[in-house]
Amino acid sequence: MNNTLKHFSYALLLGLITYSTQAQESSFGIKGGLNFSNFFTENVDDENLRTGLHVSLYSRTPLVGEVLFLQTELGYSGKGAKLEGSNGETELALGYLELPILASFSIGDLLYLEAGAYASYLLNANVSGETLGGSSFSDDISTDNFKDFDYGLAVGANTHLAPLVIGVRYYYGLPNIIANDFASFSGIEARNSTFQAYVAFEF
């Protein structure tokens, strides 16, 4: 736990340093939209996507003229998965404080391709669903069932229609996020997989 917090603090510090040292040249913005998330697992073939929300602040700093930029973000991202079993459908929701750092490459003045990495820290967890009998349920669950720290790769594309930005992005989690034996994931590994669509306002 302490090592996890230490690693996340380093990542957060890197983002804050990037914000402060590049402030004079950077463009800033706020972005938000939808997450369509699932888990990569070895033994679970379910492909139902969970829909969640994400919102963040970001800084975009030119590195090479108007061609290459560094984009640093900090915000909240709702991930998780839907699971169908013999007892009904269950939705597992995981909320993360997330820090993506990406390089953005301009193609013309309209299209930008981006790639980089992200680090995130688990804030909350919830399980909800409906039984075969039609009864609904929703409960917060302990975050101890999951690893505190997640990280991975990110790729995406966006178009700038100043001051609006419209884009899509994919996050590929690298570590197993299951800490203990939890429900349908007993004894197996799961990694976050998230497709993101967003709209941003840049100033």
Side-chain angles (χ1 to χ4, degrees):
M1 177 79 174
N2 290 334
N3 287 335
T4 298
L5 288 174
K6 185 183 296 184
H7 292 157
F8 184 76
S9 297
Y10 289 154
L12 181 59
L13 179 60
L14 176 61
L16 293 176
I17 290 174
T18 302
Y19 273 0
S20 60
T21 58
Q22 303 294 338
Q24 291 183 346
E25 299 179 1
S26 296
S27 298
F28 295 88
I30 182 170
K31 61 188 285 285
L34 295 177
N35 281 346
F36 303 95
S37 59
N38 205 345
F39 293 149
F40 277 125
T41 68
E42 294 181 358
N43 301 322
V44 177
D45 296 325
D46 188 272
E47 297 181 352
N48 291 327
L49 295 176
R50 176 186 180 270
T51 302
L53 299 176
H54 68 90
V55 61
S56 63
L57 299 174
Y58 70 88
S59 167
R60 193 168 67 94
T61 303
L63 298 178
V64 180
E66 295 298 316
V67 177
L68 183 64
F69 299 81
L70 176 67
Q71 183 157 319
T72 306
E73 305 177 9
L74 183 64
Y76 177 84
S77 186
K79 302 183 180 182
K82 282 186 178 180
L83 310 170
E84 290 185 354
S86 58
N87 295 323
E89 183 179 271
T90 301
E91 182 172 317
L92 179 61
L94 303 175
Y96 288 92
L97 178 66
E98 194 157 78
L99 173 67
I101 300 178
L102 305 100
S104 178
F105 180 76
S106 172
I107 300 179
D109 295 327
L110 193 63
L111 180 64
Y112 293 80
L113 303 180
E114 54 189 19
Y118 76 90
S120 58
Y121 183 78
L122 182 63
L123 299 176
N124 53 67
N126 176 274
V127 62
S128 61
E130 185 173 316
T131 66
L132 290 178
S135 300
S136 299
F137 61 92
S138 178
D139 292 295
D140 291 333
I141 58 177
S142 174
T143 55
D144 291 339
N145 291 296
F146 310 94
K147 302 288 181 62
D148 294 320
F149 187 68
D150 183 36
Y151 59 89
L153 306 176
V155 294
N158 59 67
T159 182
H160 283 232
L161 306 171
L164 292 180
V165 180
I166 301 173
V168 293
R169 189 179 294 169
Y170 177 71
Y171 291 89
Y172 178 79
L174 294 177
N176 171 35
I177 63 169
I178 306 298
N180 300 321
D181 290 345
F182 175 69
S184 301
F185 292 95
S186 178
I188 66 174
E189 296 184 355
R191 292 174 285 130
N192 279 316
S193 172
T194 308
F195 177 80
Q196 188 177 92
Y198 65 85
V199 175
F201 180 81
E202 190 168 295
F203 49 92

